Amino acid sequence: MTSPLLVQRYLSRKQVRMRRNCDVKIPPKPCDPYPIVTSYVDVVAGFGRGSSELGIPTANVPIEQLPHIIQDLEVGVYFGWCHLKSVPEEKQRSELRPDGRQVHYNNGSRLLEGDLKILPVVLSLGWNPFYQNTKKTVELHILHNFESDFYGAKIKFSFLGYIRPELNYTTKEALIADIRRDIEIAQETLNTHEYEAFRHVL
Ligand code: ADP
Ligand code: RBF
Ligand code: MG
C-alpha cells in the first residue's frame, strides 16, 4: 500500500513542477488596484493569428477605449470576468486585414444565450514580443466555446489579478504551452469563492 506521506510528497513535487519561474503569487482575494472594470468596448479585428496560428482565439479591443489605468499596468497576463452584448442596430460590414484576408463584422448577431452570460477570461496586455508588434494590444481569450465569431460586438470586462509578465519565446509551441497554463491558472483562481464573488462586479 502507498503511504500517505509518499502521496503527499508526490503531490507537492507535482505542484512545484507546475509552478513556472515567471508566475507571480496570486493573493487569495483581489487586492488594490483590482478590480479594474471597463465600460462596453468594441471587439475589433487583430492580425488574425490567434485562431489560425495558435489555436487560441483572442477578442482584440482598442486600448484607447479602456480606462487610463489599464495603459499604466505592467504588460503581461491577467484574468477576470467578461460580458458580451450584440449591437444589432449597427450595420454589418467587412474589412480587409493587412494581409488581404477579409473579416466580417456581424456585430455579435450570432451570439447564443449561453454566450451572453458572464464568462471567465484570460487577458494579454502588451507588445506580443514573439510577433514583434509595434502597438500595445489588449486581447481576451474567453474560457468558453463559441459557435461563431463576434466581431463588432461590445464587451465589458474586469481585471482581477496578474498571472505573469509578458515573455518572448523561441518557438510557437512554447508560447502555446504557456498560454494553456495561463488558462488553467485563470480558471482555477476564478473558481475560488473569493474571485467568483467578483463575477457580478462588471
Ligand atoms: P484577430 O486577430 O482578428 O483577433 P483571432 O484569431 O484572435 O483574430 O480571433 C478572434 C475572434 O474569434 C474574436 O474577435 C471573436 O470574434 C472570435 N472568438 C471565438 N472564440 C473566442 C474565444 N473563446 N475568445 C475570444 N474570441 C473568440
Ligand atoms: N505573446 C507574446 O509574445 N508573449 C507572451 O507572453 C504572450 N502571452 C499571452 C498570454 C495569453 C493568455 C494570451 C491570450 C496571449 C498571449 N500572447 C503573448 C499573445 C499572442 O501572441 C497573441 O494572442 C497572438 O499573437 C494573436 O494575436
Ligand atoms: Mg485576436
Side-chain angles (χ1 to χ4, degrees):
M1 205 178 90
T2 322
S3 90
L5 195 67
L6 275 181
V7 173
Q8 203 184 344
R9 223 187 264 157
Y10 168 73
L11 282 176
S12 54
R13 273 214 205 109
K14 196 171 165 199
Q15 273 156 10
V16 169
R17 186 165 53 79
M18 300 281 274
R19 205 190 160 278
R20 302 167 297 187
N21 285 335
C22 61
D23 283 332
V24 166
K25 193 167 173 4
I26 298 174
K29 63 179 179 30
C31 299
D32 185 51
Y34 312 111
I36 298 171
V37 182
T38 72
S39 46
Y40 282 94
V41 299
D42 298 315
V43 174
V44 296
F47 294 98
R49 296 187 293 238
S51 325
S52 57
E53 279 195 33
L54 305 179
I56 303 165
T58 56
N60 291 43
V61 297
I63 198 162
E64 308 76 33
Q65 292 183 9
L66 303 178
H68 284 299
I69 183 176
I70 290 176
Q71 317 218 12
D72 299 335
L73 287 176
E74 249 178 86
V75 292
V77 182
Y78 294 81
F79 61 92
W81 297 102
C82 71
H83 182 242
L84 279 165
K85 68 176 186 190
S86 62
V87 209
E89 66 277 14
E90 211 49 32
K91 203 167 171 286
Q92 295 198 18
R93 62 193 174 89
S94 290
E95 195 179 278
L96 286 185
R97 295 187 197 273
D99 64 6
R101 278 183 300 156
Q102 204 176 51
V103 46
H104 180 67
Y105 279 64
N106 63 27
N107 305 329
S109 55
R110 300 182 64 187
L111 289 169
L112 306 173
E113 201 185 324
D115 306 337
L116 301 171
K117 298 205 163 122
I118 295 172
L119 300 169
V121 67
V122 64
L123 304 109
S124 159
L125 163 68
W127 305 92
N128 298 358
F130 184 69
Y131 288 103
Q132 297 168 330
N133 286 3
T134 52
K135 192 175 183 295
K136 208 179 195 179
T137 59
V138 179
E139 304 174 42
L140 296 89
H141 174 68
I142 304 169
L143 310 187
H144 178 76
N145 283 325
F146 292 89
E147 301 256 320
S148 162
D149 62 38
F150 45 86
Y151 290 106
K154 296 271 184 191
I155 191 162
K156 183 175 170 76
F157 54 99
S158 60
F159 287 72
L160 294 183
Y162 183 65
I163 297 179
R164 66 167 173 93
E166 182 172 51
L167 301 172
N168 202 349
Y169 295 86
T170 46
T171 66
K172 189 171 75 178
E173 289 66 33
L175 169 63
I176 294 172
D178 259 359
I179 298 179
R180 296 216 170 287
R181 181 68 189 127
D182 298 330
I183 291 171
E184 284 173 7
I185 294 172
Q187 188 71 78
E188 277 164 21
T189 311
L190 290 166
N191 276 345
T192 64
H193 177 71
E194 289 73 12
Y195 283 90
E196 158 75 26
F198 282 77
R199 181 187 271 266
H200 293 282
V201 182
L202 269 185

